[in-house]
Amino acid sequence: MTTPEDAPLLELAGLAAYVRLGLFGLVGAHTLGAPDLEAAHRMMTVAVRVGEQQQKLLAIGAERGVEPVELMRPFLGVLDSFDARTVQSTWWEGLLKGIVGHGVSSDLCRLLARGLPDDDEAAVVGAMTYEADESDRVTSVVRAATDADPRLGSRLALWGRRVVGESLSLCQELLATRPGLAELARRAAAASGGDAPVDAVAWAMSELTAEHTRRMDRMGLAA
Amino acid sequence: MTTPEDAPLLELAGLAAYVRLGLFGLVGAHTLGAPDLEAAHRMMTVAVRVGEQQQKLLAIGAERGVEPVELMRPFLGVLDSFDARTVQSTWWEGLLKGIVGHGVSSDLCRLLARGLPDDDEAAVVGAMTYEADESDRVTSVVRAATDADPRLGSRLALWGRRVVGESLSLCQELLATRPGLAELARRAAAASGGDAPVDAVAWAMSELTAEHTRRMDRMGLAA
């Protein structure tokens, strides 16, 4: 049974699951048109992991009596404007969009999960856990390509800045309009220590930006 | 270690895995542009199952010392001409292409697996096993749409005939050019009983056509 106390958890799991549905389509489609069989196989492996993560997130809802589609429904369309503003013009741009978008959304969900009771935090973080070598599978495809072609690297660095800008705007919009997520951000920010009162949204944006910079560094791209 | 006796098994597993890579891209991409959230969720669920099947097929190779990409490599490009001749013009045509193509290729692999030693047959068939309700998830999306729109139904029936024609041509081409698969077809046809000598290719085509007709019936489409 759903209780009011579950609302932030369900909102977070629903968001994370819905984002993974969109991401799955993007990464899954990238098995087509991959530069070689290795890259296609890596895309598929990563997409399957994203799918498995989504199933675990949906299970969090199901254990509380919320059907998969109903868990995601409140977020229907939430990526549309992001997608419209980040239409990739090449296979590589689409791939980087997936990496950046997935990275930012996963980081946001992990940050917000810190505002949940410990058991619930563990359930959300556990659902999104990802072997380190899984994400290496994709970033190494980008790294190899940009090492071989520096012009591709500078085009992708520029593109990455656009995608991260849109991703952070979307995060801000979600925190401004979804009460459960906003509450989690306040709790997580308060728990992050320090004596001064913390602006939860500003705190989250700075954490997300720092993680994004590390991720771009790993791909050899200027953030 | 790979032994010469393993060659037909590895050829079959490589074909099945490679076809699933292509299919995964098609079905995964269909989570985007789905008519509603339910349909998108079903596409994703089915794509994840296809991915899991592929991982089991690749494991058959890995247990015999063949890396995933090397298992699939002999089939690289084998779907290109099929794909070029069956370019979908709508989301629904792409979906039906996936259903028909997956159906025919799965049926072919199961047929050919009958020519393997029992243990190997069980490994291949086990890798491709699919809960009946999984395939219902997709066919029911088609059935509901064509029940609601008979014109869509007749367009898709026509499209299905084109896709199955191209699928069967590809099967014939594979049996004509891949010695391991041809050997499995001969053994499977011989084991299928009857006193008269059996033309293995003709036998396989007639089995595949019969299964295709049943599948189209389940979707309410004229085969």
Side-chain angles (χ1 to χ4, degrees):
Chain A
M1 281 297 301
T2 312
T3 63
E5 299 84 70
D6 283 336
L9 170 64
L10 294 171
E11 209 165 89
L12 182 56
L15 170 65
Y18 184 75
V19 169
R20 272 160 187 71
L21 180 62
L23 186 73
F24 183 83
L26 179 64
V27 181
H30 269 66
T31 60
L32 308 174
D36 55 38
L37 188 57
E38 284 78 2
H41 178 58
R42 282 179 200 212
M43 292 308 124
M44 178 160 172
T45 307
V46 170
V48 170
R49 292 286 166 276
V50 169
E52 289 168 349
Q53 292 183 353
Q54 197 228 24
Q55 293 183 339
K56 288 184 203 166
L57 290 160
L58 295 175
I60 291 174
E63 286 159 13
R64 288 158 184 84
V66 183
E67 288 300 308
V69 169
E70 297 317 313
L71 189 73
M72 294 187 284
R73 195 179 304 281
F75 295 95
L76 186 60
V78 89
L79 296 172
D80 290 357
S81 142
F82 169 79
D83 275 331
R85 287 181 197 167
T86 55
V87 176
Q88 66 266 24
S89 57
T90 65
W91 187 88
W92 290 104
E93 287 186 359
L95 178 60
L96 189 64
K97 174 178 165 176
I99 294 171
V100 171
H102 182 246
V104 171
S105 75
S106 297
D107 291 339
L108 176 69
C109 291
R110 268 189 293 263
L111 274 188
L112 296 181
R114 293 191 211 157
L116 290 169
D118 287 351
D119 281 3
D120 291 346
E121 178 182 2
V124 171
V125 172
M128 298 195 312
T129 299
Y130 203 74
E131 304 299 325
D133 72 316
E134 295 297 340
S135 87
D136 286 351
R137 280 175 199 268
V138 174
T139 54
S140 65
V141 171
V142 176
R143 177 122 218 174
T146 56
D147 282 352
D149 179 356
R151 284 184 55 222
L152 177 65
S154 48
R155 280 204 307 275
L156 286 182
L158 206 65
W159 171 250
R161 284 197 281 276
R162 178 151 144 212
V163 174
V164 79
E166 295 295 340
S167 301
L168 293 174
S169 299
L170 177 55
C171 292
Q172 284 187 291
E173 184 193 317
L174 286 166
L175 293 177
T177 55
R178 307 283 168 154
L181 301 180
E183 175 57 28
L184 291 179
R186 275 189 294 276
R187 288 190 219 154
S192 72
D195 297 323
V198 181
D199 174 333
V201 175
W203 169 79
M205 292 306 118
S206 105
E207 295 278 320
L208 295 176
T209 304
E211 282 301 326
H212 170 71
T213 303
R214 289 185 202 108
R215 195 161 34 240
M216 294 292 273
D217 283 349
R218 286 195 295 275
M219 289 185 283
L221 296 176
Chain B
M1 281 298 300
T2 312
T3 63
E5 300 84 70
D6 283 336
L9 169 64
L10 293 171
E11 209 165 88
L12 181 56
L15 170 65
Y18 184 75
V19 169
R20 273 160 187 70
L21 181 62
L23 186 73
F24 183 83
L26 179 65
V27 181
H30 270 64
T31 60
L32 308 173
D36 55 38
L37 188 57
E38 285 78 2
H41 178 58
R42 281 179 200 212
M43 292 308 124
M44 178 161 172
T45 307
V46 170
V48 170
R49 293 285 167 276
V50 169
E52 289 169 348
Q53 291 183 353
Q54 198 228 23
Q55 293 182 339
K56 288 184 202 166
L57 290 161
L58 295 175
I60 291 174
E63 286 158 13
R64 288 159 184 83
V66 183
E67 288 300 308
V69 169
E70 297 317 313
L71 189 73
M72 295 187 283
R73 195 178 303 280
F75 295 97
L76 187 60
V78 87
L79 296 172
D80 290 356
S81 142
F82 169 78
D83 275 330
R85 287 181 196 167
T86 55
V87 176
Q88 66 266 25
S89 57
T90 65
W91 188 87
W92 290 104
E93 286 187 0
L95 178 59
L96 189 65
K97 174 179 165 177
I99 295 171
V100 171
H102 181 246
V104 171
S105 76
S106 297
D107 290 339
L108 176 69
C109 291
R110 269 188 293 262
L111 274 188
L112 295 181
R114 294 191 210 159
L116 291 168
D118 287 352
D119 281 2
D120 291 346
E121 178 183 2
V124 171
V125 172
M128 297 196 313
T129 299
Y130 203 74
E131 305 298 326
D133 72 315
E134 295 296 340
S135 87
D136 285 351
R137 282 175 197 268
V138 175
T139 53
S140 64
V141 171
V142 176
R143 177 122 217 173
T146 55
D147 282 351
D149 179 356
R151 286 183 55 222
L152 176 66
S154 48
R155 280 204 307 274
L156 287 181
L158 206 63
W159 172 249
R161 283 197 280 277
R162 178 151 143 210
V163 174
V164 79
E166 295 295 341
S167 301
L168 293 174
S169 298
L170 177 55
C171 292
Q172 285 187 292
E173 185 193 317
L174 287 166
L175 293 177
T177 56
R178 307 283 168 153
L181 301 180
E183 175 58 28
L184 291 179
R186 275 190 295 276
R187 289 190 218 153
S192 72
D195 297 323
V198 181
D199 174 334
V201 175
W203 168 79
M205 293 305 118
S206 105
E207 294 278 319
L208 295 176
T209 304
E211 282 301 325
H212 169 72
T213 304
R214 288 183 202 109
R215 196 160 34 239
M216 294 292 273
D217 283 349
R218 286 195 295 276
M219 290 185 282
L221 296 175

